[in-house]
Each structure stands twice: as structure tokens, then as C-alpha cells.
Amino acid sequence: MESTACASNRPLGAASAEQYSYFHDESATIKLYPAVSTATPWTMNAHVYLESSSTLKSTTPLAGVEQTHTPFADNVLKLISRYSMRRLLIRVGDVASANTADDNDIPHDVDQLLREELARGPSGTSVLASFIESDIEGGHRSNKNNRHSKEYYQYKYASLLRYLLDNNLFPPCGAPLDSVRVRKHGHSTIVQTPKNETRQKNNSVEVESFLAADAATFCNPGIQALLLSKGARTGEGGWGAATNNGACHPDKNWGLFDSLFPSTSPSSSVALSDLLLKSSLDSVLPSPLETNANKRHSIWIDMTISDPCYNAQLGPEDDLCTVHISRGTSYQIGLPSPSLQNAGDEQKLVLDLSLGDLILGNKREESKAWHPCPLSDSSRVSLYTPTGFTHKIAEGTGLISNNANDEVDGGKLEFNALNWEEGYFDLSAPWTQIYQNEQGSNEGKPSSLFGISRTVQRPLGLSSIGTLVSVFRYDQTASQHHSASVQVESLDVLPGALIKPKINTLRMMLYEGEGAGKDCFIPPLNTSECSSNQSSYLRCSEMLLSDLQSHNLVLNSDGTWLIERTVMLNPDSSLWMMIDFDEAYLPFQKFPADANRGIDAFPSRAKFSIEAATPITLYSSSLLLLPPVPDMSMPFNVISLSCTLWAFVLGSLLNILTKRATESVKTDFTGEKEKRPIDKLRDKLKDKIGRLKRVIK
């Protein structure tokens, strides 16, 4: 769509129609998979991906451009001008995407693979910023080994987070943003600079940090900031309004997110947060697939900026300045149970589904219809179904096919929302009927294809010395589609502030065969049980750093180690890395408020690449490390005992001085002489003798 006048409600400059072009796309992807039901022989759940993307192309640099000149809001343009970045990725998820299933029985396109890659991430909130390296202190590049270079990017990153929060572009959920800057809530800020042999002009420096899951729940303000376009006219909206999706619905709730979760309804973000918190799956039993790969619920913002956006002046040979922003969410829903219906001479279990059932499940009280944005270049629905199940599509759904009434067996179906006759589709209207073929199966996948995990072993206690164990696995038996080796690029972070890693104890073991790539594989305690002989069922071999394709060890100033490795894994194999550490005693001021809970450490990260396929990035669960914690009540006890002692001493001294002064004043006024101690003793004896005589009488 080359017309920018309809892409924004604000008037544009005279030359803006020639300089800028705006594109908008929205998509809803539903992946069906079998679930377990006690009422019917088979049923299904759905994994939903909703994404809305906006692209701005310009023949002039955007750095320093005023708000009225582009369809994007002023806070986005200032973000691009103030921070020279190639990418900004914000992700919020309930659990880490530690494994992935093999879905090669369903054809995937590149866009869906990239969408699933964005949906993956660590547990909690993670923010990744890729800065252009030349943008440092007046444009002069500093030495890679210079500590001030990393500190510069850390401060720049902290400033970026503060800008996002101040402009409603960051989810203000859970822990305050200051915890990211102060490093007191268990996160880590990782700065990765390019290697010397790969340094070129305008290299990227990646800075990433995360907050743990308990500090990054799907709160309503966070959903409003990242996904919805509420407040597009008043300037209160988040990314939805900033990328000018608000122009799609000036008076009505048009567009993907604002139709499904209307901004006019106060419970719109509540409905989406319920979906993200898995409330729609409460009545559905977990399936084998659900327990492996597709259990993560997440939302994300991905902004990419091309280098010409920062050039002072674009020449005719330069590419266009391109800014692409996508916002999306991924969650699971439970579908209704199939019912018995007559099909000729027999009865079959048929699953009748509406569009609302496929996208919102039982959380569509406020959503009535989907109004595609009329300014969109594309608005599509993609439906993936396992083999063995047949669809009968209803009329008017916009199915991209020569004959929409034909029955379709499994695979992928696409629907064009812009072809809906009335310009919208009722969410309660029939969409498809699904029934199982005789050869169909409702069994989940037995295992995941790739996996990553990280654990800690502390045999002497939770706060004692121990061993960190990182595992990367490739299970070829999960699918016969893959037989080639996979390249694994991993990053392990050893937090020097929480533990004292002993890098000289680093050891790696490679296990192959006999189910070594499965997530349930447990290595033998004695290496004599396996052999390096190729004819043996289970083969194991110890690897050195020199045996890897590449490796890089970086020691930061705070004692944190970054271990980067690249290794090739054969089918049905796993690589285990172990490193010992000693306990570290933290200063008192560095403990968080809930010190006995432990402190979260940065998870392991690995990118799996097979030949020309799209790489898959996985994250392990973050470790909860408990350093030696002193008795936090001891300062109170010491202060209490000290104050009690001083109160006793000072009180007694004050009592003595006050009593003596009182008696002296009394003697001066009455004229009585103060008795000597011997006289006082004589009087007491007389008094006791008199009492004794009275008792005898």
C-alpha cells in the first residue's frame, strides 16, 4: 500500500506522499493438535498466534524527523533518533521455551517459522537491544577490551529502558524498572561485542537482560502498552497507537487486536490476560504435546531498523530507510468437545467450530466480530491441522481455494479476511467442521526435537559449593525427517556476583546413541558403561574446548563469565557441560528484600541450525541460586540488645542522680538534717524488734 494519506489521521507534509510509504499486515495463525478427553475418544486444543505488523519506508533518514512527517508517532521517531539500533526485541513469557517439537508433518512457511521464533524466549520479561557500535562518544569506536565500552552500553541500555517506560512502550508489571538498572532482583545484563576477527564498520553490540517470571506477569497495563491501541488519539496508547494502527479504527474497533479485544470495553485487556494465564484450558486435560514444546504463552514487540535510517543523507544508490514493527501474542485455548452426528449410514464424531472458538475459546464475551483493517495490505487466517483429520469449510470464510465447499484433508488452510462479503466476520458464525478419518491418530508426539536445560547440583546444601550442568540435545528419533547434523551455538552465563566459578574445572561429555538425545536420558555414573567404539550402543567421549568448532571465554569486571561455544551434534546425541563453583558471600546491601527466596540467574541460550533451515533459538529455565544468607534479623537483635543495655545504664544513673537531688532539696526546705547511715540502720533494727515483740504478745 503506497498511499500514506490514509495511513494516518494527522496531516502530512507536502513532500511526504513522495518520501514515505506505509504498509500494514495482520494475521491469525491457529495450529490444532490432539488433546486428551475423558468424555470423547478424541478432541483438540489450539495454539494461536496473533500478529500485527507495520512497515515504514522512507527515501530520507528518519533521525530527527518531526512527528507530523510520518505515520509513526513521535515517541517512536524519538526512540530511533536517540538510540542508534538495528533491533529492539521485547518479550514476556510465563515459562522458558526449553524445547521444540518436530512439526514437519505440517508444511510451514517462512513467516510462520519466524513468528514461532519470536514467540520463544526466556521465562519472564526479556529486552534485547542491538546497538550500532560506531555510535559511541561522538562516533569514535573504542577498543573492544576497554571496560568503559561495555559500561557505556550498559548505561545506554538503562537509558533506553527508562525511555520505554516513560513513553508507555514497556510493560510496567511486577518489579519496578529500577531493578533492571540496580541489578538487585536476580537478572543479568549481558553485553556481547563482536570478535576482533569479525570487526567491521558499524558492527552491532547486543545488550540483553531479563526479569524473572514472578516479576513479569501478564498484567493489564502491560498488555495495553504492548498490543492494544487504546488511547490512539489522546497519546496514551502503547505500541499499537505509536505504529499508527489507530488509524484503522477511528470510530470503531477495527483491526486484529482491537476487534478481538475491543478498546471500548474495560475488560478487553482482562480477557487477553485470562487467555495468557491459561484460564481457557482449565477444563481440558494436558496432552503429551502440551507437556513438551507448546506450553509457553507470550507476547512480543519486534522493531528492526535499517542502516540507511541513520545516514545523514541518502544517495540514489543507497537502500530505503525501513522501519518494521511487529507486535504479537501466542497462547493456547481449549476447544469444545466433538458431538455425534449422522454421516450417511453411520454416526461420526464431528467438531463444529466458529472463528471465535478457534481464536478466543471461551473468552469472547465482549468480542462480537472481527473487522479487518481496511488499510491493511493483507489480513489472513491460517489454520494448521494434523494429518488424519478432514475439514468441511463453511461458506463466506474467504478460503483461498478454487472450490470452498470441497472437503480438505489436514495440512494448511489459508483464508483472506479482506474478501469477507460484509467487511467483517461474526465470531459466533460457523467456520469449519472437523472429523477424524479412520487412519487418523490422536496421539501426541513422543519427544521434542531440540532441547536445552540447565541445573545446579549442591550435594552439601542449598548454599554450599556445587556444580552447574548445561545440556544441549538433538533427538533424531522424534522424527525421521531429520538425519543431518545440527550446529549448536550456545551461550552460558556464570554469574560472578552469586557464585565463584572455577573455570579450570570445565569439562564436557558427548553422548551418542541409545536415546541420548531424549529429554529423559540420564548419563551413566561410570563412563566405563559406555564406549567410544562406533559399534557400541551408547557412545561417550570427553571433549575439550579445542575439539569444538569455535569457542570464546569472556571475563567481565564483576567476575561473570560468558562462555560461547559452537559444536556439531549428530542425531540422537546430547552434550553435557559441567563446571564447579564455590559459594560467594554477598555484601549486605546487595541482597533483595526476599533474600531467602534466592536470586535468579541468566538462563542458557542455544541456537540450533540444520543446513538451510530456519534456526531455532531456545532458552533454558533460569536458575534460582541461593547464596549464603546471614540471619537478616541479627541487626535488629543487636540494636535491641544494645538499646536495652543503654536504657538500663542510663536509667539507673538518672534515677540515682534524681533521687539524691530530691532529698537534698527536701532537707533545705524543711530544715531537717539528713540521717547518717548508722542512724538509719539503728532505726530499722528498732522497728523490726518492735514488730517481733508484738507478734510474740
Side-chain angles (χ1 to χ4, degrees):
M1 184 181 65
E2 297 294 335
S3 175
T4 58
C6 62
S8 175
N9 292 331
R10 299 184 295 269
L12 303 180
S16 60
E18 300 178 359
Q19 295 177 349
Y20 303 105
S21 57
Y22 176 79
F23 306 87
H24 180 72
D25 304 286
E26 53 189 20
S27 65
T29 304
I30 303 105
K31 296 180 63 176
L32 303 179
Y33 60 92
V36 179
S37 175
T38 57
T40 58
W42 65 270
T43 186
M44 284 191 174
N45 287 346
H47 201 146
V48 182
Y49 299 86
L50 304 179
E51 186 180 37
S52 177
S53 61
S54 302
T55 304
L56 179 66
K57 293 186 177 181
S58 170
T59 58
T60 59
L62 289 181
V65 176
E66 298 180 0
Q67 174 183 1
T68 57
H69 288 176
T70 67
F72 281 2
D74 186 41
N75 52 3
V76 173
L77 297 179
K78 286 184 178 179
L79 175 66
I80 298 174
S81 300
R82 295 179 62 177
Y83 307 97
S84 299
M85 297 182 297
R86 286 194 175 96
R87 189 183 189 189
L88 174 64
L89 179 59
I90 305 174
R91 290 178 291 187
V92 182
D94 52 354
V95 296
S97 52
N99 45 43
T100 177
D102 179 31
D103 292 332
N104 283 280
D105 54 339
I106 301 177
H108 286 72
D109 52 15
V110 177
D111 293 337
Q112 176 59 19
L113 292 176
L114 296 177
R115 197 175 295 117
E116 294 181 4
E117 182 71 9
L118 290 175
R120 301 186 184 100
S123 173
T125 299
S126 64
V127 182
L128 170 66
S130 180
F131 296 103
I132 297 179
E133 191 189 13
S134 59
D135 180 36
I136 177 169
E137 296 182 0
H140 297 288
R141 255 186 289 160
S142 62
N143 191 346
K144 168 181 174 289
N145 297 323
N146 189 357
R147 294 181 180 179
H148 298 288
S149 174
K150 292 187 177 181
E151 293 176 357
Y152 169 82
Y153 288 112
Q154 288 178 348
Y155 284 117
K156 195 177 186 68
Y157 181 80
S159 174
L160 169 65
L161 297 181
R162 176 58 61 185
Y163 179 87
L164 294 175
L165 183 63
D166 293 342
N167 290 272
N168 197 26
L169 301 176
F170 187 87
C173 306
L177 185 63
D178 287 338
S179 63
V180 181
R181 304 178 65 181
V182 178
R183 301 189 183 185
K184 199 175 179 181
H185 288 262
H187 78 288
S188 298
T189 300
I190 306 302
V191 180
Q192 289 185 276
T193 55
K195 301 177 182 179
N196 290 330
E197 58 270 16
T198 61
R199 291 177 65 90
Q200 299 175 357
K201 183 179 180 181
N202 294 337
N203 273 304
S204 295
V205 178
E206 292 187 353
V207 186
E208 184 177 11
S209 68
F210 86 105
L211 291 174
D214 58 346
T217 54
F218 300 111
C219 65
N220 297 333
I223 293 175
Q224 292 285 356
L226 293 183
L227 295 180
L228 305 182
S229 303
K230 184 178 181 181
R233 287 186 170 182
T234 60
E236 300 175 357
W239 284 98
T243 57
N244 204 40
N245 189 44
C248 292
H249 45 85
D251 300 318
K252 300 180 180 180
N253 290 311
W254 290 352
L256 177 61
F257 288 104
D258 296 279
S259 289
L260 301 178
F261 313 100
S263 58
T264 56
S265 172
S267 60
S268 59
S269 57
V270 177
L272 182 53
S273 63
D274 288 343
L275 289 172
L276 294 171
L277 293 173
K278 305 182 181 180
S279 60
S280 63
L281 288 169
D282 293 342
S283 59
V284 181
L285 296 176
S287 68
L289 179 60
E290 223 176 304
T291 58
N292 282 326
N294 293 330
K295 62 181 181 179
R296 172 180 166 87
H297 289 195
S298 63
I299 55 180
W300 69 84
I301 293 293
D302 185 25
M303 180 177 69
T304 57
I305 308 104
S306 62
D307 289 347
C309 294
Y310 302 106
N311 294 342
Q313 183 177 2
L314 294 180
E317 70 280 357
D318 295 331
D319 296 332
L320 292 177
C321 168
T322 304
V323 180
H324 178 79
I325 301 177
S326 67
R327 51 195 174 100
T329 180
S330 168
Y331 55 87
Q332 291 182 83
I333 57 173
L335 299 180
S337 299
S339 59
L340 280 174
Q341 298 183 13
N342 294 325
D345 299 335
E346 60 179 352
Q347 287 186 334
K348 284 187 176 182
L349 284 174
V350 180
L351 183 58
D352 293 312
L353 297 174
S354 64
L355 183 60
D357 294 330
L358 289 170
I359 297 181
L360 300 178
N362 56 6
K363 299 295 179 182
R364 51 187 178 95
E365 295 82 0
E366 302 295 335
S367 304
K368 305 300 181 183
W370 177 1
H371 295 263
C373 177
L375 304 180
S376 296
D377 295 272
S378 67
S379 182
R380 296 197 175 191
V381 179
S382 300
L383 181 61
Y384 294 88
T385 309
T387 56
F389 293 89
T390 301
H391 286 273
K392 188 174 182 180
I393 307 300
E395 296 183 357
T397 57
L399 176 64
I400 303 177
S401 175
N402 295 330
N403 189 352
N405 295 324
D406 287 347
E407 296 182 353
V408 184
D409 184 13
K412 175 186 177 182
L413 300 177
E414 277 195 300
F415 306 84
N416 190 354
L418 299 180
N419 290 340
W420 291 339
E421 295 181 358
E422 299 181 1
Y424 69 92
F425 197 89
D426 190 351
L427 295 179
S428 60
W431 184 270
T432 182
Q433 286 185 337
I434 303 177
Y435 55 89
Q436 187 180 21
N437 299 334
E438 295 181 358
Q439 67 274 16
S441 174
N442 60 343
E443 296 182 358
K445 293 180 175 58
S447 179
S448 57
L449 183 61
F450 304 126
I452 180 175
S453 64
R454 196 181 192 192
T455 57
V456 59
Q457 300 175 356
R458 283 184 160 178
L460 300 182
L462 293 178
S463 301
S464 63
I465 61 176
T467 304
L468 289 175
V469 181
S470 299
V471 182
F472 312 95
R473 56 182 180 82
Y474 173 30
D475 183 16
Q476 185 267 346
T477 59
S479 173
Q480 300 301 325
H481 296 282
H482 296 296
S483 58
S485 300
V486 60
Q487 178 177 284
V488 182
E489 301 178 24
S490 63
L491 171 66
D492 278 307
V493 181
L494 309 180
L498 303 179
I499 58 177
K500 296 179 180 179
K502 296 187 289 186
I503 202 67
N504 60 315
T505 62
L506 174 64
R507 53 199 182 276
M508 293 179 290
M509 292 294 298
L510 177 64
Y511 298 93
E512 296 179 299
E514 203 63 24
K518 294 184 177 297
D519 50 4
C520 59
F521 172 74
I522 300 177
L525 296 177
N526 191 355
T527 56
S528 61
E529 299 180 13
C530 58
S531 173
S532 59
N533 189 0
Q534 296 295 327
S535 60
S536 176
Y537 292 103
L538 178 61
R539 303 181 300 275
C540 61
S541 58
E542 186 174 0
M543 299 187 66
L544 303 176
L545 291 176
S546 57
D547 298 330
L548 304 176
Q549 283 191 320
S550 64
H551 66 276
N552 185 29
L553 304 180
V554 179
L555 177 61
N556 292 339
S557 57
D558 60 350
T560 299
W561 281 92
L562 303 183
I563 303 179
E564 301 176 75
R565 294 159 299 166
T566 302
V567 64
M568 297 296 296
L569 290 182
N570 295 321
D572 193 19
S573 64
S574 59
L575 177 65
W576 294 63
M577 185 194 79
M578 290 76 68
I579 184 170
D580 300 333
F581 63 88
D582 291 333
E583 65 272 23
Y585 295 90
L586 301 182
F588 181 81
Q589 64 273 14
K590 287 190 177 182
F591 280 99
D594 50 348
N596 291 300
R597 172 191 174 273
I599 302 178
D600 295 272
F602 201 90
S604 297
R605 182 181 67 193
K607 182 170 68 174
F608 297 82
S609 305
I610 297 182
E611 297 175 347
T614 303
I616 295 176
T617 304
L618 299 179
Y619 292 80
S620 70
S621 300
S622 59
L623 289 179
L624 193 61
L625 299 178
L626 182 63
V629 180
D631 186 1
M632 293 299 178
S633 64
M634 186 57 66
F636 171 78
N637 297 336
V638 173
I639 294 174
S640 300
L641 293 175
S642 301
C643 292
T644 302
L645 178 60
W646 279 105
F648 175 76
V649 174
L650 295 178
S652 301
L653 181 61
L654 183 63
N655 185 29
I656 294 174
L657 295 177
T658 304
K659 185 176 181 180
R660 288 185 177 181
T662 303
E663 292 180 355
S664 300
V665 173
K666 180 180 179 181
T667 302
D668 294 340
F669 276 97
T670 59
E672 297 180 359
K673 293 183 179 180
E674 184 178 0
K675 293 183 179 181
R676 296 178 300 171
I678 189 65
D679 296 334
K680 294 180 180 180
L681 180 60
R682 187 183 299 114
D683 294 340
K684 288 182 178 181
L685 291 175
K686 288 182 179 180
D687 182 60
K688 289 184 178 181
I689 293 173
R691 291 180 182 179
L692 182 60
K693 289 181 179 180
R694 287 193 295 270
V695 171
I696 294 174
K697 290 181 180 182

